[in-house]
Amino acid sequence: MEIITTREFEDRYVRLPIIIQKRAEKQERLFCHNPFYPSLNTEKLEPKSKNVWSFRVDKSYRIIFRFVDSKTVLFLTIGRHDWVYRLKF
């Protein structure tokens, strides 16, 4: 799986605590092997017509993304659960 990132994702990622960055890297490796691995809790967000998904970094942080095609995903942003679920894409 190829992962491409937005400038927003990159900017927010570098401002995360190092421990969250390391957890995100671990979850990203799982995601590359299987985007629907159970511990990722991958889910399609509302409204479903926007084709925006999230997966769990840990209990507080999520990565928001879109499937570009069957082999590529675009990471849109990363942040705390409550913040990312309020965003409108």
Side-chain angles (χ1 to χ4, degrees), residues 1-16:
M1 176 84 53
E2 178 185 6
I3 296 172
I4 52 179
T5 58
T6 62
R7 172 67 144 221
E8 178 179 336
F9 178 89
E10 293 169 10
D11 290 346
R12 292 190 176 283
Y13 179 85
V14 298
R15 288 187 264 146
L16 292 171

Side-chain angles (χ1 to χ4, degrees), residues 31 36 42-55 63-69 72-77 85 87-89:
F31 181 85
F36 296 97
T42 304
E43 64 179 350
K44 194 171 192 180
L45 304 180
E46 296 289 340
K48 298 203 184 283
S49 62
K50 299 277 187 175
N51 291 315
V52 176
W53 297 73
S54 76
F55 72 85
I63 290 176
I64 306 299
F65 68 96
R66 277 195 176 111
F67 287 102
V68 175
D69 58 37
T72 310
V73 295
L74 174 63
F75 281 8
L76 300 167
T77 195
Y85 284 109
L87 298 176
K88 304 292 182 214
F89 289 96

Side-chain angles (χ1 to χ4, degrees), residues 21-68:
Q21 290 180 14
K22 292 194 180 299
R23 287 178 187 157
E25 291 168 12
K26 176 183 175 270
Q27 295 299 82
E28 181 183 327
R29 286 190 297 274
L30 283 174
F31 181 85
C32 284
H33 292 298
N34 179 359
F36 296 97
Y37 190 82
S39 70
L40 295 173
N41 287 61
T42 304
E43 64 179 350
K44 194 171 192 180
L45 304 180
E46 296 289 340
K48 298 203 184 283
S49 62
K50 299 277 187 175
N51 291 315
V52 176
W53 297 73
S54 76
F55 72 85
R56 180 181 288 175
V57 172
D58 70 3
K59 67 180 182 171
S60 298
Y61 287 86
R62 301 292 184 272
I63 290 176
I64 306 299
F65 68 96
R66 277 195 176 111
F67 287 102
V68 175

